[in-house]
Amino acid sequence: MAKTNPGRFFEDYTLGETIQHAVPRTVSGGERALYHALYPARHALYSSDEFARASGLPASPIDDLAAFHLIFGKTVPDISLNALANLGYAEGRWRLPVYPGDTLSASSTVIGLKQNSNGKSGVVYVRTKGINQRDEVVIDYVRWVMVRKGDLDAPAPETVIPDLAPALSAKDLTIPEGLDFTSYDFDLAGERHRWGDYAVGEQIDHVDGVTVEEAEHMIATRLWQNTAKVHFDVGSRPDGRRLIYGGHVISMARTLSFNGLANAQMVVGLNAGAHANPCYSGDTIKAWSEVIDKAETSAPGVGALRLRLVATKGGEPFTLKGEDGKYLPHVMLDLDYWALIPL
Amino acid sequence: MAKTNPGRFFEDYTLGETIQHAVPRTVSGGERALYHALYPARHALYSSDEFARASGLPASPIDDLAAFHLIFGKTVPDISLNALANLGYAEGRWRLPVYPGDTLSASSTVIGLKQNSNGKSGVVYVRTKGINQRDEVVIDYVRWVMVRKGDLDAPAPETVIPDLAPALSAKDLTIPEGLDFTSYDFDLAGERHRWGDYAVGEQIDHVDGVTVEEAEHMIATRLWQNTAKVHFDVGSRPDGRRLIYGGHVISMARTLSFNGLANAQMVVGLNAGAHANPCYSGDTIKAWSEVIDKAETSAPGVGALRLRLVATKGGEPFTLKGEDGKYLPHVMLDLDYWALIPL
Amino acid sequence: MAKTNPGRFFEDYTLGETIQHAVPRTVSGGERALYHALYPARHALYSSDEFARASGLPASPIDDLAAFHLIFGKTVPDISLNALANLGYAEGRWRLPVYPGDTLSASSTVIGLKQNSNGKSGVVYVRTKGINQRDEVVIDYVRWVMVRKGDLDAPAPETVIPDLAPALSAKDLTIPEGLDFTSYDFDLAGERHRWGDYAVGEQIDHVDGVTVEEAEHMIATRLWQNTAKVHFDVGSRPDGRRLIYGGHVISMARTLSFNGLANAQMVVGLNAGAHANPCYSGDTIKAWSEVIDKAETSAPGVGALRLRLVATKGGEPFTLKGEDGKYLPHVMLDLDYWALIPL
């Protein structure tokens, strides 16, 4: 019998089951340095222990999206090895900052199943939970993927589509314990714009661009122990091109958004996300944002912005969908998230 | 007089001499993170402090092959700068795990010399020893290389060929103190196959592939402070191609072998190894393994597998040599090693 | 109003003003490991805690040029985003070693201004200071750049050109407290040449070369949080090529100079520097050095060498300028610095 992991097919998922994902990971300053080398990451809270302490945290955490990728990567062998598409995200919450020395592991519970009408595939909804060495939840989120059937004769499961919030409300966000932006140093952070300076509906062109390379996206994707063949092996797709991990685009866009949103320090909520078009080596990633919502929080000096983050390759900023309602070909990512920013 | 290192020629080696290699190195979480970013390294014992502690170790060590490359890299300026070929390895033993904070240095003793019949080169056999800051041996191994003569008129030394074991026997392996796999968590490790599930003669196709890039192999090779020109300078070879460090292929193949050998956690013995054909940027490395031998060990719950690990670029899995007994052109590496796995 | 940083134009600088640069950074073993992976860095004092302790330091510091790039990178958004050219360096001093755990930040004071006769640009002189978490100066240096005017009608400032030393004298150098090379281990350091073995006027061809790749220079440049578009975005220059950060060339040349200057351990003074010609991916960087001056120091066993370090792409070693006094096209860098070496 083959000893290698063939991945799960649609009929292998059972509603309600919880899958323990493999390979826990202890993070260190090494992962942090690599994140800063692979992306133009400059948010001060994640760069300086001193800045983090002045904001009420014990030290500078690992970037929130790095923690997300670490958890996400663990799910790949069990959830998306035979996935045809990564369809969406919802109800993502960062519950606790991750610090060097923490050990992360992950599990996913199947919360929805729906076979497609063609009988060849189906949609699997999972709620994934990342925990640290003290069994505290650091991140949880819902993701749904379209997965091939291995046995076309396997019976269709009962259709269950989970009831997901279109977006988290500000009161659902977890504010890290002790966070306090009342003595926030805007000079050290890099920009002067505070919560009150952003208006709902405002759009920001982040201006900078990065032309991506094969070596970089593979280094990044491996760092998260994401093993999906399509990112690494030119022989795994008919066109001979390596598909860049969608999370690489997310992190590139988020870090590019520093220029205009330098004070949107902490990512605390993931409302929705679509990988609209693929990214390949040689593409130049740019980003623009739109303020969707604003809220105050219970923490001193801390406000929240709900932001749309769009990653593009070419095309005009602020263009998103065509008249047919479909994403334009130059749009790679449409992400909807909550970030914390000084009031 | 030139101040740069011209490297040693065949006539510069004396039987019995010990060469202290330069540039000791303190390792940290940085080297570990880079190893995980450069290779699809996922063995849980080397990824999670918690998993390592549950296995009886004080923390998660640096990957065994990373420690090997660190020691090997130090030997390059003294042993292989003028080498025409890296001919073989034998009697390699990992004696102690390497942890972040350890400082490694290396020395080599010349244990054999044989001038070639053409009078232009010869074979040098060295036993290399890597030690930590407490002068404890962490790794030792024998390597032999073909080295050019600098002065063709230099007299041939007496031929001495060391008596090397064709393979270590299981009882020669050093089992890390405290190692205990009796409470091993197969879910966290990623596969369910234990020692008893592998049969001598069994072959495993590891399925996954990685297309390698110039930037990656140079970053990896430098990380081990390996300075051989051929890996870095397009002008150093007539074909204008950079030759990829053989150790890059070893680590890529070993980490690809996770898929099917996820529980073969610790590399403890290197019996033999051949770099059968060169690897260049753009090649897609795949790997297959064969179980050569099996043994129990004195440690609780710990078995040993002797494995052949073959790295290929193209070609069918499980093909190795042609009718002429020579390695097929798609075979890059044929490695023979011992690994520890839960019983 | 645009929230992104447009950078400063010539008319935005005022003599005497001090600009606090953004994004403090805590360094760890991760930055060190990356520096060693991106460059052939092998100086033993920066590789081994044990070697550093035997030299009187508490631990192995971050490479001096890594610390320099970290400080330099912070200045880019405020000083050189609209720069037409990086014209020179002077009076650079390393005042304190930087250790893992230190947090660095930077500020610059405008010490000179001179509008160009064409009225379209001007030269800005700044003295940049890098400090650690205890407000101790770790590095300071003067740099001058040619910056575009944003408003051509803005009045020219009074011309002030600072009085800069053509070179630091040996007595101006800061020797790290406790540094002692009297028990220096030349075997571990990699070469036997000490201070007395180098003669003023001596030239050294460092022999080795590295062909540079896009992924590597972008990873390095981001590591220092240097955000200048020209290094990352193929669309930012008319020729569609990414210009390699000049500091990448400095670090590559300095680390290549290990071969012949392995004992020139610590960089303590930067006298002058010119980025003579641009560097692009695919170029093969080589280096040669010339001993400009020698001096003893107050520390036991510690001498100082003043060195010219030249980075080239092609061309003969030891060629620098043409008959017209201009740098030859294959010369990329001409750097003048002081290093500490065992007597």
Side-chain angles (χ1 to χ4, degrees):
Chain A
M1 204 200 104
K3 289 214 161 54
T4 50
N5 175 21
R8 286 172 169 237
F9 295 95
F10 179 66
E11 67 271 20
D12 298 327
Y13 294 93
T14 308
L15 193 74
E17 73 170 320
T18 294
I19 302 164
Q20 171 65 52
H21 304 302
V23 196
R25 170 73 158 260
T26 305
V27 297
S28 78
E31 279 77 9
R32 188 194 344 210
L34 269 162
Y35 194 79
H36 283 241
L38 292 164
Y39 305 105
R42 300 181 69 223
H43 288 93
L45 196 65
Y46 299 87
S47 179
S48 163
D49 282 344
E50 306 293 319
F51 193 97
R53 280 182 202 121
S55 303
L57 301 184
S60 178
I62 301 291
D63 283 78
D64 303 308
L65 288 175
F68 174 78
H69 297 318
L70 264 175
I71 298 303
F72 184 98
K74 295 185 191 324
T75 71
V76 168
D78 299 313
I79 305 297
S80 42
L81 214 58
N82 297 311
L84 297 164
N86 197 25
L87 297 172
Y89 304 98
E91 300 184 3
R93 282 189 281 192
W94 280 258
R95 305 274 193 161
L96 265 183
V98 175
Y99 296 99
D102 281 355
T103 299
L104 304 184
S105 58
S107 63
S108 295
T109 301
V110 179
I111 61 167
L113 289 168
K114 180 184 176 300
Q115 183 164 313
N116 286 332
S117 54
N118 65 13
K120 295 183 180 168
S121 59
V123 179
V124 181
Y125 296 78
V126 292
R127 189 178 297 274
T128 295
K129 206 170 67 173
I131 61 167
N132 65 17
Q133 68 280 11
R134 291 179 298 276
D135 277 335
E136 299 161 334
V137 177
V138 296
I139 291 174
D140 60 4
Y141 64 93
V142 172
R143 165 163 89 117
W144 54 107
V145 292
M146 191 187 299
V147 182
R148 278 191 292 133
K149 289 187 75 168
D151 171 10
L152 295 186
D153 296 331
E158 189 189 354
T159 293
V160 174
I161 296 177
D163 186 25
L164 298 171
L168 296 169
S169 89
K171 68 175 170 35
D172 294 329
L173 305 175
T174 303
I175 312 297
E177 200 181 317
L179 190 70
D180 179 343
F181 282 159
T182 51
S183 59
Y184 189 92
D185 186 326
F186 289 84
D187 282 338
L188 287 181
E191 288 179 358
R192 304 208 150 259
H193 325 301
R194 49 174 79 232
W195 183 82
D197 296 323
Y198 292 90
V200 172
E202 179 176 356
Q203 292 180 317
I204 302 154
D205 176 4
H206 300 298
V207 181
D208 301 316
V210 173
T211 308
V212 294
E213 297 289 320
E214 301 284 14
E216 290 179 336
H217 76 81
M218 292 199 295
I219 288 174
T221 306
R222 272 191 297 249
L223 186 58
W224 320 126
Q225 299 179 312
N226 178 336
T227 58
K229 285 181 193 55
V230 291
H231 308 316
F232 300 104
D233 180 352
V234 296
S236 66
R237 288 161 38 102
D239 66 2
R241 302 175 82 179
R242 280 165 276 186
L243 183 70
I244 292 182
Y245 164 48
H248 193 61
V249 179
I250 294 178
S251 274
M252 198 61 88
R254 158 71 179 160
T255 50
L256 286 170
S257 80
F258 177 91
N259 198 348
L261 281 166
N263 298 316
Q265 293 280 352
M266 305 193 87
V267 174
V268 289
L270 176 60
N271 299 309
H275 297 287
N277 284 290
C279 181
Y280 301 105
S281 174
D283 287 346
T284 298
I285 303 179
K286 296 195 174 191
W288 59 269
S289 294
E290 181 177 342
V291 181
I292 300 176
D293 199 1
K294 296 179 61 172
E296 299 192 41
T297 79
S298 57
V302 180
L305 292 181
R306 184 179 158 199
L307 296 159
R308 158 172 274 161
L309 173 63
V310 176
T312 63
K313 46 176 175 182
E316 288 302 304
F318 314 134
T319 58
L320 189 68
K321 295 181 177 174
E323 293 184 1
D324 57 2
K326 291 186 180 160
Y327 286 108
L328 293 166
H330 65 268
V331 173
M332 293 188 289
L333 173 76
D334 182 13
L335 199 78
D336 178 343
Y337 73 102
W338 281 102
L340 302 181
I341 184 169
L343 283 176
Chain B
M1 203 202 102
K3 288 216 163 51
T4 50
N5 175 21
R8 284 172 171 238
F9 295 95
F10 179 66
E11 67 271 19
D12 298 329
Y13 294 94
T14 307
L15 193 74
E17 74 170 319
T18 294
I19 302 164
Q20 171 64 54
H21 304 302
V23 196
R25 171 71 159 263
T26 305
V27 298
S28 78
E31 279 77 9
R32 195 208 322 224
L34 268 162
Y35 194 78
H36 283 242
L38 292 165
Y39 305 105
R42 302 181 69 223
H43 288 92
L45 195 65
Y46 299 87
S47 180
S48 163
D49 282 344
E50 306 293 320
F51 194 96
R53 280 182 203 122
S55 304
L57 301 183
S60 178
I62 302 291
D63 284 78
D64 303 307
L65 287 175
F68 174 78
H69 297 318
L70 264 175
I71 298 302
F72 184 98
K74 296 185 191 323
T75 71
V76 169
D78 299 312
I79 306 297
S80 42
L81 215 58
N82 298 312
L84 297 164
N86 197 23
L87 297 172
Y89 305 98
E91 300 184 1
R93 281 188 281 190
W94 280 257
R95 306 270 193 161
L96 267 183
V98 175
Y99 296 99
D102 282 355
T103 299
L104 303 184
S105 58
S107 62
S108 296
T109 301
V110 180
I111 60 166
L113 289 170
K114 180 185 177 299
Q115 182 164 314
N116 287 331
S117 53
N118 65 11
K120 295 182 179 165
S121 59
V123 179
V124 181
Y125 296 78
V126 292
R127 188 178 299 274
T128 296
K129 206 170 67 173
I131 60 167
N132 66 17
Q133 68 281 8
R134 290 179 299 275
D135 277 334
E136 299 161 334
V137 177
V138 296
I139 290 175
D140 59 6
Y141 64 93
V142 172
R143 167 163 88 116
W144 54 107
V145 292
M146 190 187 299
V147 182
R148 277 193 291 134
K149 289 187 75 169
D151 172 9
L152 296 186
D153 296 331
E158 190 190 353
T159 293
V160 174
I161 297 177
D163 186 26
L164 299 170
L168 297 168
S169 88
K171 68 178 170 30
D172 293 330
L173 305 175
T174 304
I175 312 298
E177 200 181 320
L179 189 71
D180 179 343
F181 282 160
T182 52
S183 59
Y184 190 91
D185 187 326
F186 290 84
D187 282 339
L188 286 181
E191 289 179 358
R192 304 207 151 258
H193 325 302
R194 50 175 78 231
W195 184 81
D197 297 325
Y198 292 90
V200 172
E202 179 175 357
Q203 292 180 316
I204 302 155
D205 176 4
H206 299 299
V207 180
D208 299 317
V210 173
T211 307
V212 293
E213 297 288 320
E214 300 286 12
E216 290 179 337
H217 76 81
M218 292 199 295
I219 288 173
T221 306
R222 272 190 298 250
L223 185 59
W224 320 127
Q225 299 179 312
N226 179 336
T227 58
K229 286 181 191 57
V230 291
H231 308 317
F232 299 105
D233 179 352
V234 296
S236 65
R237 285 159 40 100
D239 66 2
R241 303 174 82 181
R242 279 165 276 185
L243 183 69
I244 293 181
Y245 164 48
H248 193 61
V249 179
I250 294 178
S251 273
M252 198 60 88
R254 158 72 180 161
T255 50
L256 285 169
S257 80
F258 178 90
N259 197 348
L261 282 166
N263 297 317
Q265 292 280 353
M266 305 193 87
V267 174
V268 288
L270 176 60
N271 298 309
H275 297 287
N277 284 289
C279 181
Y280 301 106
S281 173
D283 288 345
T284 298
I285 303 179
K286 297 196 173 189
W288 59 269
S289 294
E290 181 177 340
V291 181
I292 299 177
D293 198 1
K294 297 180 60 172
E296 299 192 41
T297 79
S298 57
V302 179
L305 291 181
R306 184 177 158 200
L307 295 158
R308 158 172 274 161
L309 173 63
V310 177
T312 62
K313 45 177 176 181
E316 288 301 304
F318 314 134
T319 57
L320 189 67
K321 294 181 177 176
E323 293 184 1
D324 57 1
K326 291 187 179 159
Y327 285 109
L328 293 166
H330 64 269
V331 172
M332 294 189 288
L333 173 77
D334 182 13
L335 199 78
D336 178 343
Y337 73 104
W338 281 101
L340 302 181
I341 183 168
L343 284 176
Chain C
M1 200 201 106
K3 289 213 161 54
T4 50
N5 175 21
R8 284 170 171 241
F9 295 96
F10 179 67
E11 67 271 20
D12 298 327
Y13 294 93
T14 307
L15 193 74
E17 74 171 319
T18 294
I19 302 165
Q20 171 64 53
H21 304 302
V23 195
R25 169 72 159 263
T26 305
V27 297
S28 78
E31 280 77 9
R32 183 181 8 195
L34 268 162
Y35 193 77
H36 282 242
L38 291 164
Y39 304 105
R42 300 180 71 222
H43 288 94
L45 196 66
Y46 300 87
S47 180
S48 163
D49 282 345
E50 305 294 320
F51 193 97
R53 280 182 203 123
S55 304
L57 301 184
S60 178
I62 302 291
D63 283 77
D64 303 307
L65 288 175
F68 174 79
H69 297 318
L70 264 174
I71 298 303
F72 184 99
K74 297 186 190 322
T75 70
V76 168
D78 300 311
I79 305 296
S80 42
L81 216 59
N82 297 312
L84 297 165
N86 197 23
L87 297 172
Y89 304 98
E91 299 183 2
R93 280 190 282 190
W94 280 258
R95 305 272 194 162
L96 266 183
V98 175
Y99 295 99
D102 282 355
T103 300
L104 303 184
S105 59
S107 62
S108 296
T109 301
V110 180
I111 60 167
L113 289 169
K114 180 183 176 300
Q115 182 163 315
N116 286 332
S117 53
N118 65 11
K120 295 182 179 167
S121 58
V123 178
V124 180
Y125 296 78
V126 293
R127 189 179 298 273
T128 295
K129 205 170 68 172
I131 60 167
N132 66 17
Q133 67 280 9
R134 290 179 298 274
D135 276 334
E136 300 160 334
V137 177
V138 295
I139 290 175
D140 59 5
Y141 64 94
V142 172
R143 167 162 86 117
W144 53 108
V145 293
M146 190 187 301
V147 181
R148 278 192 293 133
K149 289 188 75 168
D151 171 10
L152 296 186
D153 296 331
E158 189 190 353
T159 293
V160 174
I161 296 178
D163 186 25
L164 298 171
L168 296 169
S169 88
K171 68 177 170 32
D172 294 330
L173 304 175
T174 304
I175 312 297
E177 199 181 319
L179 190 70
D180 180 343
F181 282 159
T182 52
S183 58
Y184 190 91
D185 186 328
F186 289 84
D187 283 338
L188 287 180
E191 287 179 358
R192 303 209 150 257
H193 325 302
R194 49 175 78 232
W195 184 81
D197 297 323
Y198 292 90
V200 172
E202 180 176 356
Q203 293 180 317
I204 302 155
D205 176 4
H206 299 300
V207 180
D208 301 316
V210 173
T211 308
V212 294
E213 298 289 321
E214 301 285 13
E216 290 179 336
H217 77 80
M218 292 199 295
I219 288 174
T221 307
R222 272 190 298 250
L223 185 59
W224 320 127
Q225 299 180 312
N226 179 336
T227 58
K229 284 181 192 56
V230 290
H231 308 316
F232 299 105
D233 179 352
V234 296
S236 65
R237 286 160 39 102
D239 67 2
R241 302 174 83 180
R242 280 165 275 185
L243 183 70
I244 292 181
Y245 163 49
H248 193 60
V249 179
I250 294 178
S251 273
M252 198 61 87
R254 157 74 179 158
T255 50
L256 286 170
S257 80
F258 177 90
N259 198 350
L261 282 166
N263 297 316
Q265 292 281 351
M266 306 193 86
V267 174
V268 288
L270 176 60
N271 299 309
H275 297 287
N277 283 290
C279 181
Y280 300 105
S281 174
D283 287 346
T284 298
I285 303 179
K286 296 195 174 192
W288 59 268
S289 293
E290 181 177 341
V291 181
I292 300 177
D293 199 1
K294 296 179 61 172
E296 299 193 40
T297 79
S298 58
V302 180
L305 291 182
R306 185 178 159 200
L307 296 158
R308 159 172 274 161
L309 173 64
V310 177
T312 62
K313 45 177 174 180
E316 288 302 303
F318 315 134
T319 57
L320 189 68
K321 294 181 177 174
E323 292 184 1
D324 57 1
K326 291 188 179 158
Y327 285 109
L328 293 166
H330 64 269
V331 173
M332 293 188 288
L333 173 76
D334 182 12
L335 200 78
D336 178 342
Y337 72 104
W338 281 101
L340 302 181
I341 183 169
L343 284 176

